[in-house]
Amino acid sequence: MNKRIQLSTETLRCSTCGLGQFCLPVGMAPADAHKMDELVQLRLRVGKGQPLFRAEDGLDAVYGIRFGSLKTLVELADGRQQITGFHLPGEVIGLDGLGRETHASTAVALEDSEVCVIPIRDLSVVATHLPSLQRQLLRLMSRELENDQQLLLSLGAMRAEEKLAAFLISLSDRLSARGYSSSQFVLRMSREEIGNFLGLTLETVSRLFSRFAKAGLLRINQKEVELVDVPALRQIVGRQC
Amino acid sequence: MNKRIQLSTETLRCSTCGLGQFCLPVGMAPADAHKMDELVQLRLRVGKGQPLFRAEDGLDAVYGIRFGSLKTLVELADGRQQITGFHLPGEVIGLDGLGRETHASTAVALEDSEVCVIPIRDLSVVATHLPSLQRQLLRLMSRELENDQQLLLSLGAMRAEEKLAAFLISLSDRLSARGYSSSQFVLRMSREEIGNFLGLTLETVSRLFSRFAKAGLLRINQKEVELVDVPALRQIVGRQC
DNA sequence: CGGTCCTTTGAGCGCCTTCAAAGTAGGTGG
DNA sequence: CCACCTACTTTGAAGGCGCTCAAAGGACCG
């Protein structure tokens, strides 16, 4: 089970959280950001491999990632699944269920992680009187739509090589926006998960990593990657994505 | 260019529009629905093959489809494109750009169509004081997220036969919800567009139609389809989607 | 240190694509 | 109204990209 962490007034809150620039409070005036503090009273620890929520579950909260990383996925009746996203600290997940008040996807931790619980009951109450929060919700959801559309482009219109290059570039950009190295990082997901995400098999992903490494585009050792020739990788994608 | 139609007080408005159950006013109290009338002062005629908006364009409105149908798509730098949706009357398109105030996708009419113009400037003003509209916006966006996720599942996890069956079933359901026949309808899009949408080539789509017809699952004559054995089609998809 | 899971690499195959050509529909202008 | 043109569709044949099957080598964990 996921471990609950009750927040006291002393604890780090939204208004002082360094991830604010990616999370719900983006672009809010300090006064408004303080109202977020009332909203988030609880955090959850989610162990590696543990689900945070499952598709079809009733939705009573959305979640901001404090540390760690999670994947979201949707499933077919026969068990086949499609990973729809890998999520980093500062991202808010669960928004795709807001309409039906039922989760549309399942979220699973890729590593031990911690998330801030944002109860939607309170969220909608606060948002009613807080235009900046309304706007931010719409902004986050439309960003998620854009992400899905990029993934659709990957799955539908790219070849294997381009898919993996696009994946690495995108991950590099997101990590670098969060202050991590853009060229050296650890893949928290397995080859199989990358393959599933991109519509490839794990063997194809592994072969592509080997081929990219042989071509001098990157170095790879298990889950550690170092992008050596980013411009070449970008060119594989098509110099714009 | 698209033809503008200024609305008078006499004209059919949101509060009396039969498509309200699919469009922005879903589930609004009559009093609230009337406020929508102030919002929509203009309609546009879009000729077959004409763009309603293009990705990267500034976004100053979202659009409710009155009649006709449109496709939305995203593009790669080299021109390859991925169709992300086919849209029917009552659907609101352009929401994916709300965050950046820039369109994230391009919308093109599949046939001569008419859309209601919903200016976002006014929309956000009205929404601030109208919680039912805020909720409806979130609901529409999260539904769009769900649609994208279903498509991701198609593109990434299904085989050609399943993709086409799922496409037909989904279209049938949506048409029937709008009062059209669920078993006989006209495909407004070409084989190439269906293929692009599903991550297949136009030849594969054509062959699948022929194969389905030979198996007695459907009849097809150019763009006219009649679904003969819907249960069998659903079974191909995996009896749940 | 044993077990399990993940990754790598090879060989062969199959689904879907590519290439090609003929057939059909729809629209336009003479 | 018909001839022509263009765009779309159908069908066949051949080929390739990525998959499936298989096995060995590492890494991680209790």
Side-chain angles (χ1 to χ4, degrees):
Chain A
M1 200 47 223
N2 300 326
K3 189 178 163 194
R4 299 161 61 95
I5 302 171
Q6 202 72 37
L7 301 188
S8 69
T9 48
E10 327 277 282
T11 332
L12 192 61
R13 310 303 288 272
C14 283
S15 54
T16 52
C17 176
L19 293 168
Q21 53 173 317
F22 302 103
C23 192
L24 256 191
V26 181
M28 285 193 188
D32 288 356
H34 273 92
K35 298 195 181 156
M36 296 301 302
D37 293 350
E38 305 164 22
L39 216 52
V40 181
Q41 301 288 343
L42 189 65
R43 289 212 278 263
L44 286 177
R45 282 280 168 86
V46 192
K48 177 175 179 170
Q50 294 298 309
L52 173 59
F53 54 79
R54 292 177 191 278
E56 315 299 327
D57 281 357
L59 175 149
D60 28 50
V62 297
Y63 305 90
I65 303 176
R66 244 192 91 55
F67 62 76
S69 50
L70 296 93
K71 63 177 173 182
T72 46
L73 53 94
V74 288
E75 280 181 295
L76 237 37
D78 64 3
R80 275 178 293 177
Q81 50 185 45
Q82 173 65 41
I83 296 175
T84 54
F86 297 116
H87 304 279
L88 302 179
E91 294 185 13
V92 178
I93 59 180
L95 291 168
D96 53 358
L98 267 188
R100 301 177 170 283
E101 310 216 342
T102 297
H103 284 291
S105 53
T106 297
V108 176
L110 293 175
E111 59 189 313
D112 291 349
S113 304
E114 192 173 295
V115 299
C116 302
V117 178
I118 307 167
I120 55 156
R121 183 152 226 111
D122 306 340
L123 181 65
S124 52
V125 171
V126 174
T128 302
H129 310 292
L130 202 59
S132 62
L133 180 54
Q134 293 166 26
R135 239 178 296 120
Q136 184 56 8
L137 272 175
L138 292 177
R139 206 174 299 159
L140 287 176
M141 292 189 77
S142 76
R143 175 182 309 194
E144 206 163 319
L145 279 168
E146 285 179 53
N147 286 342
D148 283 2
Q149 289 173 349
Q150 282 307 308
L151 184 50
L152 287 172
L153 212 40
S154 272
L155 285 171
M158 289 187 182
R159 281 173 307 108
E161 234 180 34
E162 300 170 314
K163 291 179 181 184
L164 189 64
F167 169 72
L168 290 170
I169 293 293
S170 157
L171 192 55
S172 159
D173 288 347
R174 289 161 67 207
L175 287 168
S176 117
R178 282 163 180 75
Y180 299 98
S181 165
S182 66
S183 60
Q184 279 187 299
F185 46 87
V186 175
L187 299 169
R188 296 298 174 182
M189 65 297 287
S190 68
R191 301 288 187 267
E192 181 168 26
E193 287 167 325
I194 297 173
N196 178 298
F197 181 65
L198 298 174
L200 301 170
T201 57
L202 67 99
E203 294 95 329
T204 301
V205 172
S206 176
R207 274 186 255 270
L208 284 171
F209 272 129
S210 301
R211 203 196 307 168
F212 282 178
K214 195 167 291 177
L217 300 179
L218 50 76
R219 275 191 272 274
I220 182 137
N221 186 343
Q222 297 296 122
K223 299 206 182 272
E224 288 165 26
V225 204
E226 181 186 353
L227 305 188
V228 174
D229 192 346
V230 174
L233 284 170
R234 287 192 190 275
Q235 195 168 345
I236 289 177
V237 178
R239 68 199 120 282
Q240 233 285 40
C241 199
Chain B
M1 201 47 222
N2 300 325
K3 187 178 164 194
R4 300 161 61 95
I5 303 172
Q6 200 73 37
L7 302 187
S8 69
T9 48
E10 327 276 280
T11 332
L12 191 61
R13 309 304 288 271
C14 284
S15 53
T16 52
C17 175
L19 293 168
Q21 53 172 317
F22 302 104
C23 191
L24 256 191
V26 181
M28 283 193 188
D32 287 357
H34 273 91
K35 299 196 179 156
M36 296 301 303
D37 293 350
E38 305 165 23
L39 216 52
V40 180
Q41 301 288 344
L42 188 65
R43 290 212 277 262
L44 286 177
R45 282 280 170 87
V46 192
K48 177 174 178 170
Q50 294 298 309
L52 172 60
F53 54 78
R54 294 177 189 278
E56 316 299 327
D57 281 356
L59 176 148
D60 28 50
V62 296
Y63 305 89
I65 303 176
R66 245 192 90 56
F67 62 75
S69 51
L70 296 92
K71 64 177 175 182
T72 46
L73 53 93
V74 287
E75 281 181 295
L76 236 39
D78 65 2
R80 276 177 293 177
Q81 51 185 45
Q82 173 65 40
I83 295 176
T84 54
F86 296 116
H87 304 279
L88 302 180
E91 293 185 15
V92 178
I93 59 179
L95 291 168
D96 54 358
L98 267 188
R100 301 177 170 284
E101 309 217 341
T102 295
H103 284 292
S105 52
T106 296
V108 177
L110 294 174
E111 58 189 314
D112 291 350
S113 305
E114 191 174 297
V115 298
C116 302
V117 178
I118 307 167
I120 54 156
R121 183 151 226 112
D122 306 341
L123 181 66
S124 52
V125 170
V126 175
T128 301
H129 309 293
L130 201 60
S132 61
L133 180 55
Q134 292 165 27
R135 241 178 293 120
Q136 183 56 8
L137 271 176
L138 292 177
R139 205 173 300 157
L140 287 175
M141 291 189 78
S142 77
R143 176 183 306 195
E144 205 163 319
L145 279 169
E146 286 179 52
N147 287 342
D148 283 1
Q149 288 173 350
Q150 283 308 308
L151 185 50
L152 288 172
L153 212 41
S154 271
L155 285 172
M158 289 186 182
R159 280 170 310 106
E161 236 181 32
E162 302 170 312
K163 290 179 181 184
L164 188 63
F167 168 72
L168 290 170
I169 293 294
S170 156
L171 192 54
S172 160
D173 288 347
R174 289 162 66 206
L175 287 168
S176 116
R178 282 164 179 76
Y180 298 98
S181 165
S182 66
S183 60
Q184 279 187 299
F185 45 87
V186 174
L187 299 169
R188 297 298 174 182
M189 66 296 287
S190 68
R191 301 288 186 269
E192 181 169 26
E193 286 167 326
I194 297 173
N196 179 298
F197 181 64
L198 298 173
L200 301 170
T201 57
L202 67 101
E203 293 95 330
T204 300
V205 173
S206 176
R207 275 185 255 270
L208 284 171
F209 273 128
S210 301
R211 202 196 307 167
F212 281 178
K214 195 167 288 176
L217 300 178
L218 51 77
R219 274 191 271 277
I220 182 139
N221 185 344
Q222 298 296 123
K223 299 205 181 274
E224 288 165 27
V225 203
E226 180 186 353
L227 305 187
V228 174
D229 192 346
V230 173
L233 284 170
R234 286 192 190 276
Q235 195 168 343
I236 290 176
V237 178
R239 69 200 119 281
Q240 234 285 39
C241 198

